[in-house]
Amino acid sequence: MDKAIPEKKLHDGTSIPAIGFGTYTLNGNEGVHAINSAIDVGYRLIDTAYNYENEGTVGEAIRRSSVPREQLYITSKTSRTLP
């Protein structure tokens, strides 16, 4: 597959997609469909957050996706601040 989205190399040598799909406001079946559409067109980094209250929607979209989980990167932010 030709990579349309460039990657960034992290300090540990891991490469992740430089562009991700944000899921703020995506919930329910419409959210699952939107996230699956993003995956279908090539997004592999999916961003969610505890405060979006849609991690279940993101999980369901991943379960329904035809792309293997190992090819997806999921980021999630918490509401807690670290010291």
Side-chain angles (χ1 to χ4, degrees), residues 4 11 15 33 36 44 48 50 53 60 62-63 65 72:
H11 290 292
S15 292
H33 178 71
N36 274 327
R44 295 297 181 263
T48 187
Y50 174 80
E53 298 180 354
E60 184 60 29
I62 292 166
R63 276 188 288 282
S65 173
L72 298 173

Side-chain angles (χ1 to χ4, degrees), residues 17-30:
I19 301 169
F21 184 75
T23 63
Y24 180 68
T25 73
L26 297 178
N27 286 294
N29 285 327
E30 287 184 19

Side-chain angles (χ1 to χ4, degrees), residues 23-80:
T23 63
Y24 180 68
T25 73
L26 297 178
N27 286 294
N29 285 327
E30 287 184 19
V32 170
H33 178 71
I35 296 163
N36 274 327
S37 294
I39 293 170
D40 288 345
V41 299
Y43 283 95
R44 295 297 181 263
L45 174 62
I46 308 298
D47 177 63
T48 187
Y50 174 80
N51 288 342
Y52 298 173
E53 298 180 354
N54 70 350
E55 290 170 312
T57 298
V58 172
E60 184 60 29
I62 292 166
R63 276 188 288 282
R64 293 185 190 180
S65 173
S66 61
V67 173
R69 174 61 182 91
E70 300 80 37
Q71 294 180 18
L72 298 173
Y73 298 86
I74 313 303
T75 59
S76 183
K77 297 168 285 302
T78 65
S79 60
R80 190 173 116 152

